[in-house]
Amino acid sequence: METAEFLQTLETEGRLLAAAAEEAGTDTTVPTCPKWQVGDLLRHTGAVHRWAAAYIAERSTERRPLVEPTGLDGAGLVAWYRDSHRHLVGTLAGAAPDVECFTFLPAPSPLAFWARRQAHETAVHRVDAESARGGGPTSLTPEFATDGIDELLRGFHARPRSRVRTPEARVLRIRTEDTGAVWTVRLSPEPPVTTRDASAEAACELSGPAEQLYLALWNRAPLPNVTGDGALATLWRETSGI
């Protein structure tokens, strides 16, 4: 996907998130994140939006702490989130393509990184807000969901902090049934190593439509299909939280 596509998705997802949060109410529990209320969700996601925008706007190359607001709730918090989202979208849309700043996953450029990362950040938390509101979640395109699975597997879980590990070498396969994407996740005592192929025999395969797999791998929905050693599916559930 191109940066412009991620920006369009980010804009849409943020609007949906705010609308669902407003309808649910900020003191409503978030079923997909039981430790949170909607207010916690808005404070976190809005703070992440402002944190990301500051890197781009200030061309900052040093990591900085994430600061969530205090003393905001109810309608004022929803308005603050909407302003945070608008600011992020505007900052990304107006940034120079060659802007240099801090990133934390591999990407073609910092601008491409932040547009992609914030689109997926917002989409996942939009699902959280809609779970609090009730009713089914808004659909994601298979292409966007496939990209999000790739970011999760080859980005987040390639980092040393990933806890998805096994005492001995094991192989987990992940396959989208609608877009034909396949990943081979090699598990060991070290961080997972994931390749975009089917290059090894797998002990377990997780498969399903891209959107369902995306939400399941982010622990927002049940895994669609598990074939083989279910212990690896359980391992993912128990240790893959970001």
Side-chain angles (χ1 to χ4, degrees):
M1 293 178 62
E2 299 295 326
T3 298
E5 295 176 278
F6 286 121
L7 280 175
Q8 182 59 56
T9 300
L10 169 60
E11 182 166 17
T12 299
E13 292 293 334
R15 291 178 183 275
L16 289 171
L17 191 161
E22 186 172 46
E23 189 173 347
T26 56
D27 59 350
T28 301
T29 298
V30 179
T32 49
C33 298
K35 295 182 179 180
W36 273 2
Q37 293 182 329
V38 170
D40 301 309
L41 174 66
L42 290 174
R43 281 184 282 271
H44 169 77
T45 312
V48 170
H49 288 344
R50 291 174 183 261
W51 179 74
Y55 285 120
I56 292 286
E58 300 171 20
R59 297 176 176 262
S60 175
T61 58
E62 298 294 326
R63 190 179 187 106
R64 59 181 64 188
L66 181 70
V67 180
E68 297 186 8
T70 58
L72 278 176
D73 210 345
L77 179 56
V78 175
W80 174 84
Y81 172 76
R82 285 193 167 110
D83 184 64
S84 303
H85 173 249
R86 282 193 298 266
H87 176 61
L88 172 65
V89 171
T91 299
L92 289 169
D98 61 351
V99 63
E100 293 293 331
C101 66
F102 169 81
T103 62
F104 59 87
L105 296 177
S109 70
L111 183 61
F113 165 78
W114 283 113
R116 181 196 201 194
R117 176 79 292 277
Q118 287 301 290
H120 288 297
E121 175 88 10
T122 310
V124 170
H125 288 315
R126 182 267 299 166
V127 171
D128 293 332
E130 290 181 343
S131 80
R133 180 199 62 193
T138 304
S139 294
L140 296 164
T141 68
E143 293 74 20
F144 179 75
T146 299
D147 179 83
I149 295 170
D150 194 72
E151 184 202 42
L152 181 63
L153 297 178
R154 298 203 293 163
F156 279 102
H157 284 291
R159 299 189 300 172
R161 67 178 63 183
S162 176
R163 297 180 298 114
V164 185
R165 305 185 184 210
T166 52
E168 298 178 350
R170 305 296 302 279
V171 174
L172 174 66
R173 181 98 68 237
I174 296 173
R175 186 187 306 272
T176 62
E177 296 172 345
D178 47 355
T179 63
V182 183
W183 295 264
T184 297
V185 185
R186 291 172 171 83
L187 303 173
S188 74
E190 300 300 318
V193 176
T194 302
T195 52
R196 190 81 177 260
D197 56 31
S199 59
E201 184 175 352
C204 177
E205 179 168 303
L206 312 180
S207 63
E211 180 182 18
Q212 291 183 33
L213 270 178
Y214 175 70
L215 295 179
L217 292 171
W218 275 105
N219 293 313
R220 261 61 180 191
L223 287 165
N225 301 304
V226 178
T227 305
D229 186 358
L232 292 184
T234 300
L235 174 74
W236 182 273
R237 280 292 194 201
E238 293 178 348
T239 63
S240 66
I242 301 299

